[in-house]
Amino acid sequence: MTIDPLAHPVSQSTTLLFAAVLVAMIVSLALEEKLHAKKSLIVGIFAVISLLLATAMHLLPFGDITLPNGHPISIPVYIPGVDWGVIAIILGSSVFVDVTSRSGLFTWIAVKLTKASRGDPLKLLWYYGLMTVLFSAVLNNVTAMIIVGSLTGVSLKKLNRSDKLLGFLFLEGLLTNIGGMLTLISSVPNIIVGNAAGISFLRFFLAASPYVLVTTIATIFLGARLFRIQKLSTAEEKEEAAFLIKSFDENDGIEGRAFFWFGAFMLVAFILTIATTSVLPVAKELGMGFVAIGFAVIMLIRYKSEVEQFYKAVDWDLIIFFVALFVVINVMEHAMVLELIGKGITFIIGEGENLFGTAALLISSAAFSSVTDNIPLAAMLAKILVAQGTAGDSALWWSVVFGANLGGNLTPIGSASTLVAITIIHKYKLPMSFAAFVKLAVPYAALQIVFAVAYVLLFLA
Amino acid sequence: MSHIDQFESVFRSAIKSVYTYQEISYRKALLITDLAGEDSRNLLSSITRYLAVLGSNVEWLLLTADDYYSTQELLESVDKAQPELICTYRNLHSETWKHPHSLGSHLDVLIQKTTAPVLIMPHPKADYADPHAFEDTNAIMAMTDHLTEDHLLVNTALRFCTEQSRLYLAHLEDSVIFDRYMEAIGKIPAIDTDSARREIADKLLEQPTAYIESCSTQLALLKPSVQIHPIIEFGKHLQHYQDAIANLKIDLLVMHGKHDEQLAMHGLTYPLAIEIRQVPLLMM
């Protein structure tokens, strides 16, 4: 099914009006905390306004839609604009992760690693850092931050190392955005860009993993030095820490051994299936969204009589935010706003693919996503790059992926996972203002962005 | 951000209290009595028999009726003696032991002012002591309202255990208080009352269960002759302990007497000390 964006002529003033609506939405999202409003409602309001304006101005192509088999069907005008593949991946993955977490698998891994550190703060930082990256890659960065951040608060308190909590949580917040670049399903911008560019899971992983590895090591190494997180020196300290850490029981959260192993098996199967969806017969037709929902449904069988608790646990704010966002972007496409932005981007980065343009797109994406949500940015840029006929192997796609993810490390509002880190920091009544975060984050973000530019230009361009 | 709290709860729950054994020894013990002469010496003799488990290296001191009269004099004498264990009974220099309503002014102050544990025996002139209570210490109960990481309580109780004895580690949740909270929860529409009752009850008993399991595991290696018996349940404190002491033929009840944040005795200690007169009580 296709929609002709030029169904009706659009005047420049109309485009500018809708551009103003888009700017207002982005500013509102940046001020989400100040407005005390959920992002789904903010974008939902702008979706309603955009649809009303666009309909009144005859910008939208009403009428039946023709399916590939030739059958016409009647669908509300705001439905086809939504990327249901992305929604299915997010919905399926979140239910799958939620049910799998009930098996105690993630807490088992987290507690096992905690015990393996024997309470040594430096080892703990390395283990938690690597776990953050791994969980961000396999689950998603928000869930990873919630799991590792919660464990950090509890374990450092138990080890009488609460003075190091700020450093740990801050670094974990940064690492979620690095881990979020490891796989195609690790963060929403990856899913959106990967879907738009036709990048497979495996190709994404192979391209991103060297960068993620180097940057993770550099971030933890730098963090340990700046926050003075050192290893225990005396035998007495080591003995005390080892005794305290002994009280953690990794089996506490395991409801049953059979379900635990089933959860572990399903997680491995999920990752392998997602990784190979693009080449698996049948699955490649149905896509990653189907795979995610299929795995979620299988896991739900374990709780067949109480599935509603998992439906309640779905982050509906996020799902509705995406739906509304796709609606807004679709309207913006009809109002030629995306074309206008595309021209602006072309003006900055130049025509076609060039080294300066690739670097400029990465840096500007990082700057933009540091002050507002990186999802609208990724969604908009993906649409623009598709509209410009950008090839699937272009480095510009990677500029968007790296920029959108790393921008989250510049400010506390740059990504949902850093916002979770800040929430946990404030929960423990640790001082961390917006300015303090930026001051602390700039050296790390600068290092990561410079690395990213060099990496994209040297290896992916 | 309810998910943060959800995972924090999971990790907090994964922290189990681990028991640490530490040898406790008493080198100097003091018997305080309001008897004099031969009577006081006889009492000392029966006490040392009863506490034979402490060994022959304990130096026993005796403070008789003539050595003090006022509470101040008693405190000064105790301070001078510097005992590591004090043995005495309620209502010193008073006839109020005939009325089961107090410990007496001497003991009230002594328990709070001294750092040594105080063993309160049945009054020597009264006939309410259980027949088994003064023979040996092969059935001991250590009790508290929060038996988690209370190594001192367990180790102290263990020190009084003879070979082949039974050590009851008791954690009793007050069912009256629990019901009151549940009644309040029952009026909050956002909370599922039945699941709250079930889950809160489980969690309240989970920590002491884990701790007592840890005690059992370690003491099976360190003190295999002592049998550890957990008592972890809901109940009405006083009646529950009265019944347990009678049914299990307890020889010594060990509990905390002092409270870090108040001048008065530790929570349940005072009412128990008043009511349970038939067996010796060790107030820490």
Side-chain angles (χ1 to χ4, degrees), chain B residues 111-166:
Chain B
I111 290 170
Q112 297 308 310
K113 293 291 271 187
T114 181
T115 53
V118 179
L119 181 73
I120 307 171
M121 297 168 299
H123 199 283
K125 291 179 189 165
D127 57 357
Y128 49 61
D130 280 347
H132 60 85
F134 218 46
E135 288 174 1
D136 54 28
T137 51
N138 64 10
I140 294 180
M141 181 186 284
M143 61 74 50
T144 172
D145 52 1
H146 189 61
L147 189 51
T148 306
E149 292 194 5
D150 200 341
H151 314 314
L152 183 64
L153 183 79
V154 177
N155 288 329
T156 303
L158 200 62
R159 183 64 192 87
F160 288 84
C161 285
T162 57
E163 287 289 314
Q164 307 302 326
S165 57
R166 292 168 284 142

Side-chain angles (χ1 to χ4, degrees), chain A residues 122-255:
Chain A
L122 188 60
K123 271 191 195 166
L124 210 55
L125 179 67
W126 278 99
Y127 290 171
Y128 283 2
L130 295 174
M131 183 164 58
T132 307
V133 170
L134 190 72
F135 279 7
S136 298
V138 176
L139 313 174
N140 60 66
N141 48 9
V142 170
T143 308
M145 189 63 228
I146 289 172
I147 295 177
V148 185
S150 311
L151 174 65
T152 305
V154 173
S155 64
L156 290 189
K157 191 177 172 200
K158 178 69 188 169
L159 290 167
N160 303 318
R161 300 271 165 198
S162 295
D163 57 320
K164 302 291 177 206
L165 185 57
L166 182 66
F168 269 78
L169 291 172
F170 174 78
L171 291 170
E172 286 159 9
L174 300 187
L175 290 169
T176 54
N177 292 323
I178 296 171
M181 287 188 294
L182 191 61
T183 76
L184 186 62
I185 57 159
S186 304
S187 73
V188 178
N190 300 3
I191 299 171
I192 293 170
V193 174
N195 259 8
I199 301 170
S200 72
F201 186 95
L202 198 61
R203 200 182 123 212
F204 193 104
F205 175 76
L206 292 175
S209 53
Y211 172 82
V212 170
L213 182 68
V214 172
T215 316
T216 299
I217 293 169
T219 303
I220 299 176
F221 186 77
L222 183 64
R225 290 182 78 85
L226 291 181
F227 286 102
R228 295 195 180 131
I229 297 166
Q230 293 155 339
K231 58 181 178 181
L232 298 173
S233 50
T234 67
E236 208 174 51
E237 281 179 331
K238 286 178 188 171
E239 197 183 328
E240 191 197 345
F243 173 75
L244 291 171
I245 217 78
K246 221 167 56 178
S247 60
F248 278 92
D249 178 7
E250 66 272 24
N251 297 315
D252 184 73
I254 299 174
E255 285 182 15

Side-chain angles (χ1 to χ4, degrees), chain B residues 204-217:
Chain B
L204 282 171
L205 302 186
E206 192 181 274
Q207 287 281 20
T209 303
Y211 181 66
I212 295 174
E213 272 172 15
S214 165
C215 294
S216 298
T217 309

Side-chain angles (χ1 to χ4, degrees), chain A residues 98 101-102 107 110-111 146-147 150-151 154 158 243 246-249 252 313 420 423-424 427-428, chain B residues 1 3-20 149 151 203 206 218:
Chain A
D98 199 16
S101 74
R102 296 291 182 96
T107 48
V111 174
I146 289 172
I147 295 177
S150 311
L151 174 65
V154 173
K158 178 69 188 169
F243 173 75
K246 221 167 56 178
S247 60
F248 278 92
D249 178 7
D252 184 73
V420 173
T423 306
I424 301 175
K427 193 168 188 273
Y428 283 93
Chain B
M1 287 299 165
H3 277 89
I4 296 172
D5 190 56
Q6 186 187 322
F7 275 99
E8 274 183 345
S9 302
V10 170
F11 291 123
R12 273 195 289 262
S13 172
I15 298 176
K16 306 293 179 199
S17 306
V18 180
Y19 165 69
T20 311
E149 292 194 5
H151 314 314
K203 280 291 159 202
E206 192 181 274
Q218 294 200 47

Side-chain angles (χ1 to χ4, degrees), chain A residues 42-60:
Chain A
I42 294 171
V43 181
I45 290 168
F46 282 96
V48 170
I49 293 168
S50 302
L51 281 170
L52 285 173
L53 280 175
T55 307
M57 297 168 115
H58 308 290
L59 299 180
L60 299 177

